[in-house]
Amino acid sequence: MASKFYAIVIGAGTGTGSAAARRFAKSYPVVLMARSPASYQDTVDGINASGGQAVGVNADAADPASLKSAFDRIRDELLPGHRLAAAVYNVGANFKRAPFLEAKVEDFDGSIAGNARGFFLFAQQTIPLLLESVDAAPPYPPTLIITGATASMRGAANCAGFAAGMVARRALGQSLAREFGPRGVHVAHAVIDGAYDNVNGGVEDGKLDPDAIAESYWHLHTQHRSAFTQELDLRPYVEKF
Amino acid sequence: MASKFYAIVIGAGTGTGSAAARRFAKSYPVVLMARSPASYQDTVDGINASGGQAVGVNADAADPASLKSAFDRIRDELLPGHRLAAAVYNVGANFKRAPFLEAKVEDFDGSIAGNARGFFLFAQQTIPLLLESVDAAPPYPPTLIITGATASMRGAANCAGFAAGMVARRALGQSLAREFGPRGVHVAHAVIDGAYDNVNGGVEDGKLDPDAIAESYWHLHTQHRSAFTQELDLRPYVEKF
Amino acid sequence: MASKFYAIVIGAGTGTGSAAARRFAKSYPVVLMARSPASYQDTVDGINASGGQAVGVNADAADPASLKSAFDRIRDELLPGHRLAAAVYNVGANFKRAPFLEAKVEDFDGSIAGNARGFFLFAQQTIPLLLESVDAAPPYPPTLIITGATASMRGAANCAGFAAGMVARRALGQSLAREFGPRGVHVAHAVIDGAYDNVNGGVEDGKLDPDAIAESYWHLHTQHRSAFTQELDLRPYVEKF
Amino acid sequence: MASKFYAIVIGAGTGTGSAAARRFAKSYPVVLMARSPASYQDTVDGINASGGQAVGVNADAADPASLKSAFDRIRDELLPGHRLAAAVYNVGANFKRAPFLEAKVEDFDGSIAGNARGFFLFAQQTIPLLLESVDAAPPYPPTLIITGATASMRGAANCAGFAAGMVARRALGQSLAREFGPRGVHVAHAVIDGAYDNVNGGVEDGKLDPDAIAESYWHLHTQHRSAFTQELDLRPYVEKF
């Protein structure tokens, strides 16, 4: 009997997380993870109402026990017998602009916790599952996708803590791509380079469309292993860069 | 009446060029350009035989007159009344490894001519056509895709001239993306990071598959303008990087 | 009366830290910081014995209270009335190679603590002091120098946690350079790109020489503000890159 | 008898070229190259008047015959018996901003010729001389320094041709560093990141100071081979980046 596969999106409460869940739900049952149901329930209901299969699980990416418990529930209760086809790390933490001398070390800690440590822990849960899927005739190479940002590429002024977490997350992804690519797991990082709160003067389509982002995430997942993308950027056509 | 659209691939004689032509031919009539019919005729015949529409045109990207004449023929004879939906610059020139002190300036000149100057000229022909398509209700944003290589990113030892041409081509693409993105033309650069002559020890799928590359080119073309990719890398899963 | 200036090196127990202290001691009294006297005492003694002025202070960069106490001692006891001319962050933490699935989150935490959080805290102590020095007729622009590594630039396989800390440190430095450069403080990052345990086959000078590194740190400090360097790389001539 | 060494600066007619010549003239006889005496004569006279030794030679970097003739004159007439200690490539060509569709291919060609092909040819003349110096007990490792610019790093809008030449020049330098570093020749690239025509609102020292740039060039030359810099950036403290 053919294996059954599923996808996970953590950080499911944002536009991108919700859109990714809806996109992957066209092909897989999807698990949405966030710290509280308020973040994922509407998307879960929407997917189920439109013929897909979705379930929400509470989890805090930066808390190893919370994360482990969520994965145990998936395995034992929610989707027993299923294998992981794709995982999306979409947690965003502590973006704020502040002069460095007014920033608190807690801001730094919060950015690291959600943007990097949480990804480290999430990868430690998902990589073994993705490796198991490699030989189980998955429809596409098992995939771990990371949502990045402009701050994943450099540290801007007044943005030190956030950038620290985001560049660390990107580097973790690079390490994993280099270690697990040769074993068949596709690790890809998407640099979302557009401010959500700056709609480029209100010009049409000047704002990132989460569904468009999700479409590229799906493309990354479907890439053949002879031509994996490790990193791509995504930005509105009118964005300066 | 709805506009009719077509695609162009120049450098159609390589595996990637042929695969891109076949992929875009699923949706558009395709023009294949190369310096001689030997490079494109088999692909043209194959597309036409399988229900697509393809035509070959002789053109030397580095020769302005040759290029202009080819575009005039497309407009006047081959596909009158059609608009350009997508163009792929896939010319590869003068890749050779040689100690710098044994290299000739003609190697440098040849790399610049085919890898960068040819792209400059091709872009001067295609960008006006792509701009005209923006307002003609194209199925996807008009797109200019550039095939890059590992040498587009840095200059390796014994590879100076080739790298010079390839980084120049990438920078031209960045300039065009920044200038014409806001006007609705999508300019994207794909870093093909895998040696075709090094099959990673013969491991399965260890070699770049042109059809897989072409699939990502097609994805780039279909991206919504709210989330354009300017650059992505493509490499076999087993490739060191 | 002219202001008196001093320099600080934290992470003074390594070859580079010791060499930087000795180099800056040719022009300034120098404070060496490390977690224990074993790390700095020999260098302190050597500087004092050869006509320079040096003092050691215990401090743990990742511990805010420890760090604050050290800076209070400098101000109140060790070098009262002096102004900070230059500070070098040279703490290195938790470099180890391990397969990702064998790595512990404590390895990640340790790398972040020493490589990034410690720098965040050190910068919050030193930036205000460097800003105060800007208008006090310092011999050179007040300078904050960060020791980086190959892992500051990308995440290699089996090296995820270390890279996460090092790229975060680099991004913090970029943020500070952009914020405080225009206010006259020079923030520079040196990418030390050579493995200390790989002496390039034993070839002469194939190993990084800490005194050579220190010479470039001193050059960074002496740069005129019309031409600041934010980043340079330093590697043995035989190193592959 | 100890060898006698000299330095060359080509593109000697700009502020940076002139300043580099004056800086290196503190330690070496200096050859200034440019297309006409108007570009170098004042600097030559100034160096000679202040106790240094300088000579000017007409040469067009992009013309192999002109360049060869200039090097022959240095060897046979101007500085017979001397060895090359350092060479600076400072030629700048065809910087202009123009919409891409108004740019002419001659602008592209001119940028490539002066910014990249000229460097290729200059390196083919100087690298053999620098290699000969490696074993002749030079005061510092023989050095080839390349003046770069913001456009060496990426292609901005309306700046395609200039960027193409500058990124190609940078890549050539990277290739040479990787090939000749292990043989003892130091190849370094300086990214001069500041517009000369934008003095940052007239703020003091907001404009690049050629003498400050030259000081860093000299530092690059004096670096020990155990810690070579391949690339550094240089920008005014107030510059946005």
Side-chain angles (χ1 to χ4, degrees):
Chain A
M1 194 189 83
S3 294
K4 291 170 293 181
F5 292 91
Y6 73 104
I8 300 180
V9 177
I10 191 165
T14 68
T16 298
S18 172
R22 283 182 274 113
R23 182 63 188 82
F24 282 71
K26 294 186 186 177
S27 297
Y28 302 116
V30 175
V31 178
L32 290 87
M33 288 187 176
R35 278 180 291 187
S36 77
S39 293
Y40 56 70
Q41 200 57 52
D42 283 358
T43 306
V44 167
D45 293 346
I47 291 170
N48 288 322
S50 59
Q53 184 184 348
V55 62
V57 182
N58 288 4
D60 178 349
D63 174 352
S66 159
L67 206 59
K68 181 172 187 317
S69 154
F71 277 88
D72 287 349
R73 278 197 61 207
I74 296 170
R75 183 194 60 212
D76 297 337
E77 296 172 39
L78 303 175
L79 292 166
H82 283 64
R83 290 174 185 276
L84 185 60
V88 176
Y89 190 82
N90 187 59
V91 174
N94 278 45
F95 173 66
K96 60 177 75 169
R97 294 196 159 276
F100 177 68
L101 296 177
E102 295 174 17
K104 300 198 180 319
V105 75
E106 288 76 18
D107 297 327
F108 172 88
D109 292 343
S111 171
I112 292 291
N115 294 322
R117 189 180 201 261
F119 175 63
F120 182 98
L121 295 167
F122 184 74
Q124 288 210 323
Q125 291 292 331
T126 53
I127 291 276
L129 302 177
L130 294 166
L131 285 169
E132 283 174 24
S133 299
V134 170
D135 295 320
Y140 305 107
T143 306
L144 175 56
I145 293 173
I146 310 151
T147 300
T150 316
S152 305
M153 308 304 281
R154 74 192 70 85
N158 303 310
C159 204
F162 182 64
M166 292 305 284
V167 299
R169 169 176 176 155
R170 179 179 181 237
L172 289 171
Q174 293 170 337
S175 291
L176 299 179
R178 290 183 165 104
E179 185 171 351
F180 297 103
R183 297 173 64 184
V185 174
H186 184 186
V187 181
H189 180 257
V191 182
I192 312 296
D193 182 27
Y196 285 91
D197 58 353
N198 170 357
V199 297
N200 284 306
V203 65
E204 193 183 349
D205 297 329
K207 193 166 133 179
L208 285 157
D209 174 352
D211 290 324
I213 294 171
E215 208 58 54
S216 285
Y217 283 17
W218 179 254
H219 173 68
L220 288 169
H221 176 50
T222 64
Q223 285 184 321
H224 188 261
R225 66 179 176 172
S226 79
F228 276 166
T229 290
Q230 208 286 303
E231 187 163 87
L232 53 70
D233 48 353
L234 291 166
R235 70 174 63 76
Y237 68 118
V238 290
E239 191 78 22
K240 296 270 186 222
F241 69 105
Chain B
M1 195 188 81
S3 295
K4 293 171 290 183
F5 291 91
Y6 73 105
I8 299 179
V9 177
I10 191 165
T14 68
T16 297
S18 172
R22 283 183 274 112
R23 182 61 187 83
F24 282 71
K26 294 186 187 177
S27 298
Y28 302 115
V30 173
V31 178
L32 289 86
M33 288 187 177
R35 277 180 292 187
S36 77
S39 294
Y40 57 70
Q41 199 57 51
D42 283 357
T43 306
V44 167
D45 293 345
I47 290 171
N48 288 321
S50 60
Q53 184 184 349
V55 62
V57 182
N58 287 4
D60 179 349
D63 174 351
S66 159
L67 206 59
K68 182 171 187 316
S69 154
F71 277 87
D72 287 349
R73 278 196 61 206
I74 296 170
R75 183 195 57 210
D76 298 337
E77 297 172 38
L78 304 175
L79 291 166
H82 283 65
R83 291 174 185 277
L84 185 60
V88 176
Y89 190 82
N90 187 57
V91 174
N94 278 46
F95 174 65
K96 60 177 76 169
R97 292 196 160 276
F100 176 69
L101 296 177
E102 295 173 16
K104 299 199 180 319
V105 74
E106 288 75 18
D107 297 328
F108 173 87
D109 292 342
S111 171
I112 292 291
N115 294 321
R117 189 180 201 260
F119 175 63
F120 182 98
L121 294 168
F122 183 75
Q124 288 209 322
Q125 291 292 332
T126 52
I127 291 275
L129 302 177
L130 294 165
L131 286 170
E132 282 174 23
S133 299
V134 170
D135 295 321
Y140 305 107
T143 306
L144 174 56
I145 293 173
I146 309 152
T147 300
T150 316
S152 306
M153 308 304 282
R154 73 192 71 85
N158 303 311
C159 205
F162 182 64
M166 293 305 284
V167 300
R169 171 174 172 155
R170 178 179 182 238
L172 289 172
Q174 293 170 337
S175 292
L176 298 180
R178 291 182 164 105
E179 184 171 350
F180 297 104
R183 296 173 64 184
V185 174
H186 184 186
V187 181
H189 181 258
V191 182
I192 312 296
D193 183 26
Y196 284 91
D197 58 354
N198 170 356
V199 297
N200 285 305
V203 67
E204 192 185 351
D205 298 329
K207 194 167 131 178
L208 285 158
D209 175 352
D211 290 324
I213 294 172
E215 208 57 54
S216 284
Y217 283 16
W218 180 255
H219 173 69
L220 288 169
H221 176 50
T222 64
Q223 285 184 320
H224 188 263
R225 66 178 176 173
S226 80
F228 277 166
T229 290
Q230 207 287 302
E231 187 165 87
L232 52 70
D233 48 354
L234 292 166
R235 70 174 61 77
Y237 69 118
V238 289
E239 191 78 23
K240 296 270 186 222
F241 68 105
Chain C
M1 195 188 81
S3 295
K4 292 171 291 182
F5 292 91
Y6 73 104
I8 298 180
V9 177
I10 190 163
T14 68
T16 297
S18 172
R22 283 183 274 112
R23 182 62 187 83
F24 281 71
K26 293 187 187 178
S27 298
Y28 302 115
V30 174
V31 178
L32 290 87
M33 288 187 176
R35 277 180 293 187
S36 77
S39 294
Y40 57 68
Q41 199 58 51
D42 284 357
T43 306
V44 166
D45 293 346
I47 290 170
N48 288 322
S50 60
Q53 185 185 347
V55 61
V57 181
N58 288 4
D60 179 348
D63 174 351
S66 159
L67 207 58
K68 182 173 186 316
S69 155
F71 277 88
D72 287 349
R73 277 198 61 208
I74 295 170
R75 183 194 58 210
D76 297 337
E77 296 172 40
L78 302 175
L79 291 167
H82 283 63
R83 289 174 185 278
L84 186 60
V88 175
Y89 190 82
N90 187 59
V91 174
N94 278 46
F95 174 66
K96 61 177 76 169
R97 293 196 160 276
F100 177 69
L101 296 177
E102 295 173 17
K104 300 198 180 318
V105 73
E106 288 76 18
D107 297 328
F108 172 87
D109 292 342
S111 172
I112 291 292
N115 294 322
R117 190 180 202 260
F119 175 62
F120 182 98
L121 295 168
F122 183 74
Q124 288 210 323
Q125 291 292 332
T126 52
I127 290 276
L129 302 178
L130 294 166
L131 285 170
E132 283 174 23
S133 298
V134 171
D135 295 319
Y140 305 107
T143 307
L144 175 56
I145 293 172
I146 309 152
T147 299
T150 316
S152 306
M153 308 304 283
R154 74 192 70 85
N158 302 311
C159 205
F162 182 64
M166 292 305 284
V167 300
R169 170 176 173 153
R170 179 179 181 237
L172 289 172
Q174 293 170 337
S175 291
L176 298 180
R178 291 182 165 104
E179 184 172 351
F180 297 104
R183 296 173 64 184
V185 174
H186 184 186
V187 180
H189 180 258
V191 182
I192 312 295
D193 182 25
Y196 285 92
D197 58 353
N198 170 356
V199 298
N200 285 306
V203 65
E204 192 185 349
D205 297 329
K207 193 166 132 178
L208 285 157
D209 175 351
D211 290 323
I213 294 172
E215 208 58 54
S216 284
Y217 283 16
W218 180 253
H219 173 68
L220 288 170
H221 175 50
T222 64
Q223 284 184 322
H224 188 262
R225 67 179 176 172
S226 79
F228 277 166
T229 290
Q230 208 287 302
E231 187 163 87
L232 52 70
D233 47 354
L234 291 166
R235 72 174 60 77
Y237 68 118
V238 291
E239 192 77 22
K240 295 269 185 223
F241 70 104
Chain D
M1 195 188 84
S3 294
K4 293 171 291 181
F5 292 92
Y6 73 104
I8 298 180
V9 176
I10 191 165
T14 67
T16 298
S18 172
R22 284 183 273 113
R23 182 62 187 83
F24 282 71
K26 293 186 187 177
S27 297
Y28 302 116
V30 174
V31 178
L32 290 88
M33 287 186 178
R35 277 181 291 187
S36 76
S39 293
Y40 56 70
Q41 200 57 52
D42 284 357
T43 307
V44 167
D45 293 346
I47 291 171
N48 288 322
S50 60
Q53 185 184 346
V55 62
V57 181
N58 288 4
D60 179 348
D63 174 351
S66 158
L67 207 59
K68 181 171 186 315
S69 155
F71 277 88
D72 286 349
R73 278 197 61 207
I74 296 170
R75 183 194 59 211
D76 298 336
E77 297 172 40
L78 303 175
L79 292 167
H82 284 64
R83 289 174 185 278
L84 186 59
V88 176
Y89 190 82
N90 188 58
V91 174
N94 278 46
F95 174 65
K96 61 177 75 169
R97 293 196 158 276
F100 177 70
L101 295 176
E102 296 173 15
K104 300 198 179 319
V105 75
E106 288 75 18
D107 297 329
F108 172 86
D109 292 342
S111 171
I112 292 291
N115 294 321
R117 189 180 201 261
F119 175 63
F120 182 97
L121 295 168
F122 184 74
Q124 288 210 324
Q125 290 292 332
T126 53
I127 291 275
L129 302 177
L130 294 165
L131 285 170
E132 284 174 22
S133 299
V134 170
D135 295 321
Y140 305 107
T143 306
L144 175 55
I145 293 173
I146 309 151
T147 300
T150 316
S152 306
M153 308 304 282
R154 75 193 69 85
N158 302 311
C159 203
F162 182 64
M166 292 305 284
V167 300
R169 170 175 175 154
R170 178 178 181 239
L172 289 172
Q174 293 170 337
S175 291
L176 299 180
R178 290 182 165 104
E179 185 171 351
F180 297 104
R183 297 173 64 184
V185 175
H186 184 185
V187 181
H189 180 257
V191 183
I192 312 295
D193 182 26
Y196 285 92
D197 59 353
N198 171 356
V199 297
N200 284 305
V203 66
E204 194 184 348
D205 297 329
K207 194 167 132 177
L208 285 158
D209 175 351
D211 290 323
I213 294 171
E215 207 59 54
S216 285
Y217 282 17
W218 180 254
H219 172 69
L220 288 169
H221 176 48
T222 63
Q223 285 184 321
H224 188 261
R225 66 180 176 172
S226 80
F228 277 166
T229 290
Q230 208 286 303
E231 187 164 88
L232 53 68
D233 48 353
L234 291 166
R235 70 173 61 77
Y237 69 118
V238 289
E239 192 77 22
K240 295 269 185 224
F241 70 105

